Amino acid sequence: SAFEIMDTEHLTVCPATLRELSGDLGGVVASNVVSVTDLKLVILEERHDVLDLNVDDFITWRQNVVGTVGQLLRQERLHRFNVVSVDAGDSLYTLARRLLESELQRIFLSSDEIARIVGIVSSRDILIESLDQVL
């Protein structure tokens, strides 16, 4: 398996190659990469059995898991601190409700696309933005 080769050769990454794409001229075409960081997925998912899969099957398993684990890691990063945030695309009403529920002075705007805080809004900001509609 790729992990055995990596262990024997003291490597941290191993290319997965496709003989069909390599042709008769020699050389190798890499189709993917297996890395020691993939072991994080195995541990997080508690799926040690996947280490017995062939390389192609392991890569398929990893691709299926990566989206789910990526979301979990993002949520874990966001919850490291007691932060209240709403998505930057949420409505003003949603933002105001969340601010009232949290009883905080300010609330963060976050972006799922870049997994970052992209702004901060206070109750004053909401009032200024909606004042024309109230009057």
Side-chain angles (χ1 to χ4, degrees), residues 6 55 57 61 63 73 80 86 88 91 94 98 117 120 122 124-126 130 135:
M6 291 163 53
V55 174
D57 292 339
W61 172 82
Q63 289 170 337
L73 291 174
R80 279 187 299 198
V86 296
S91 69
T94 301
R98 192 83 163 114
I117 300 296
I120 188 167
S122 69
R124 180 180 184 278
D125 296 328
I126 295 171
S130 60
L135 297 177

Side-chain angles (χ1 to χ4, degrees), residues 10 13 22 50 58 99-100 123 129 131:
H10 306 289
V13 293
S22 298
V50 298
F58 178 80
L99 193 60
L100 283 170
S123 54
E129 192 65 32
L131 190 59

Side-chain angles (χ1 to χ4, degrees), residues 1-133:
S1 87
F3 290 114
E4 290 170 340
I5 293 170
M6 291 163 53
D7 184 42
T8 302
E9 300 296 325
H10 306 289
L11 301 171
T12 58
V13 293
C14 182
T17 59
L18 287 174
R19 291 178 200 240
E20 305 86 50
L21 297 178
S22 298
D24 296 332
L25 299 175
V28 179
V29 174
S31 63
N32 218 312
V33 174
V34 176
S35 169
V36 293
T37 58
D38 293 331
L39 293 174
K40 289 181 183 179
L41 295 174
V42 173
I43 293 167
L44 284 171
E45 290 290 306
E46 297 180 4
R47 288 287 314 271
H48 302 104
D49 60 300
V50 298
L51 294 174
D52 295 328
L53 296 174
N54 65 42
V55 174
D56 288 335
D57 292 339
F58 178 80
I59 290 171
T60 300
W61 172 82
R62 179 187 67 192
Q63 289 170 337
N64 291 331
V65 169
V66 139
T68 305
V69 171
Q71 284 292 358
L72 291 174
L73 291 174
R74 181 187 179 281
Q75 291 301 320
E76 185 178 296
R77 283 193 308 267
L78 286 176
H79 289 98
R80 279 187 299 198
F81 307 103
N82 190 14
V83 174
V84 178
S85 69
V86 296
D87 188 74
D90 284 347
S91 69
L92 195 58
Y93 175 78
T94 301
L95 197 146
R97 292 289 307 162
R98 192 83 163 114
L99 193 60
L100 283 170
E101 290 167 1
S102 67
E103 298 181 0
L104 296 171
Q105 298 296 316
R106 292 173 190 83
I107 192 166
F108 290 105
L109 298 176
S110 63
S111 170
D112 286 338
E113 293 174 12
I114 60 173
R116 298 274 188 274
I117 300 296
V118 294
I120 188 167
V121 176
S122 69
S123 54
R124 180 180 184 278
D125 296 328
I126 295 171
L127 182 60
I128 289 170
E129 192 65 32
S130 60
L131 190 59
D132 289 342
Q133 295 174 8

